[in-house]
Amino acid sequence: MKQKIWNAICIILAVAIVITLIWGISHRNEKTEPAFSDGLERLDADTIHFEDSRVDVDFSDVILSNQNETRKLIVSEQEGTVSTLLTSRLIQKIDFDFMKKTQTVSYKGNGYFVVDLSHLTKDDIAEDKKNKIITIRIGHAYLETVDINPDDIIIDDVKESLLARGKMRLTVAEYNEIEKELRQRLENQFNTPKNAQEADDIALKMVKELYENIVKAIDSKYSVVVEFK
């Protein structure tokens, strides 16, 4: 009888030892994570929320942090072509076709509408903490540059007449006056109410996208509204 009891005890101990060894092997690579809070709650990949913190982020400071750099956004590009007809008369006061020669000069250029963000101040930025909205007021888009590529200047052949032949001869002053006139006509072609309105519409979208990325990186619950001053 005692022998049977002893055998049963040995079997139970052996089974316990085997179970203990299996459990130990299966858990030896597991590391216990420390149970503590660093005070940061990660809401998403781009947002950090300070839990129970007195830190109060000033959105205007963040938005204006890079104002040392001139920031002009090109919001719209327009293309246009203008031309002028040059005329040379054999006798200046007599306007007969057989006594004059003509030549057409065409200028092709691009006009760039920009919105200037380099002069934003804190007065242009308002925060609605209740509704979590940042409102940014900007200036209207405007035509800043008319760019004429010299390679895009087209000079047609001279159209001669019976008594007026040869090349057109222009003085430096005359050439400069022609260039000035064509550039002004290009500017007038670009700077229309329709183009300005189109540039304004694009500016609102571009500025919203630019600053909303910055604001949402601080708090994803905030949204940005952009309007004109």
Side-chain angles (χ1 to χ4, degrees):
M1 183 70 178
K2 290 182 178 180
Q3 184 63 36
K4 290 182 178 180
I5 295 174
W6 176 252
N7 289 340
I9 292 174
C10 289
I11 292 172
I12 293 171
L13 289 175
V15 171
I17 292 172
V18 171
I19 292 174
T20 301
L21 288 174
I22 293 174
W23 182 89
I25 292 172
S26 64
H27 290 78
R28 67 183 178 180
N29 292 327
E30 292 185 3
K31 295 181 180 180
T32 303
E33 293 293 336
F36 71 94
S37 172
D38 60 3
L40 299 180
E41 176 189 352
R42 293 198 174 273
L43 303 178
D44 53 47
D46 301 315
T47 303
I48 295 179
H49 171 68
F50 292 89
E51 184 182 283
D52 297 329
S53 173
R54 294 183 180 179
V55 175
D56 186 14
V57 178
D58 189 331
F59 285 96
S60 62
D61 285 342
V62 177
I63 290 172
L64 299 174
S65 60
N66 292 325
Q67 290 309 103
N68 291 332
E69 303 175 4
T70 300
R71 180 175 293 177
K72 290 184 179 180
L73 294 181
I74 297 176
V75 296
S76 179
E77 178 181 351
Q78 304 289 332
E79 294 183 354
T81 302
V82 292
S83 61
T84 188
L85 182 65
L86 307 181
T87 302
S88 177
R89 298 180 179 87
L90 185 62
I91 302 175
Q92 294 299 322
K93 294 183 179 181
I94 301 178
D95 189 17
F96 293 115
D97 289 342
F98 64 86
M99 299 184 66
K100 65 183 179 183
K101 54 188 175 184
T102 60
Q103 185 176 38
T104 301
V105 178
S106 301
Y107 273 36
K108 182 185 294 184
N110 296 328
Y112 297 93
F113 282 83
V114 303
V115 59
D116 191 351
L117 304 176
S118 62
H119 300 298
L120 284 179
T121 67
K122 287 195 173 186
D123 293 336
D124 301 320
I125 302 169
E127 178 182 357
D128 181 349
K129 293 186 177 181
K130 180 180 179 181
N131 297 308
K132 294 188 178 299
I133 297 174
I134 302 297
T135 300
I136 302 174
R137 299 178 181 88
I138 63 174
H140 286 274
Y142 61 92
L143 180 66
E144 182 183 56
T145 304
V146 174
D147 182 28
I148 299 175
N149 188 338
D151 295 334
D152 292 332
I153 298 175
I154 302 172
I155 301 177
D156 292 343
D157 293 334
V158 175
K159 292 183 179 180
E160 301 174 331
S161 65
L162 181 62
L163 299 180
R165 297 183 175 276
K167 295 181 180 180
M168 299 282 288
R169 299 186 182 280
L170 298 174
T171 66
V172 174
E174 289 172 333
Y175 179 82
N176 289 339
E177 189 63 30
I178 292 170
E179 183 180 27
K180 180 180 178 181
E181 177 192 347
L182 291 178
R183 180 178 291 274
Q184 183 62 54
R185 286 170 58 187
L186 267 178
E187 184 174 331
N188 294 340
Q189 186 180 114
F190 296 141
N191 206 12
T192 64
K194 180 182 177 181
N195 288 342
Q197 183 61 57
E198 179 183 332
D200 270 349
D201 293 341
I202 298 173
L204 292 175
K205 295 178 182 178
M206 288 185 65
V207 176
K208 174 182 172 66
E209 181 179 352
L210 172 67
Y211 287 121
E212 196 161 60
N213 289 334
I214 298 173
V215 168
K216 284 188 175 295
I218 300 171
D219 192 332
S220 61
K221 295 179 181 178
Y222 269 80
S223 61
V224 172
V225 173
V226 180
E227 59 188 32
F228 293 111
K229 297 180 183 179

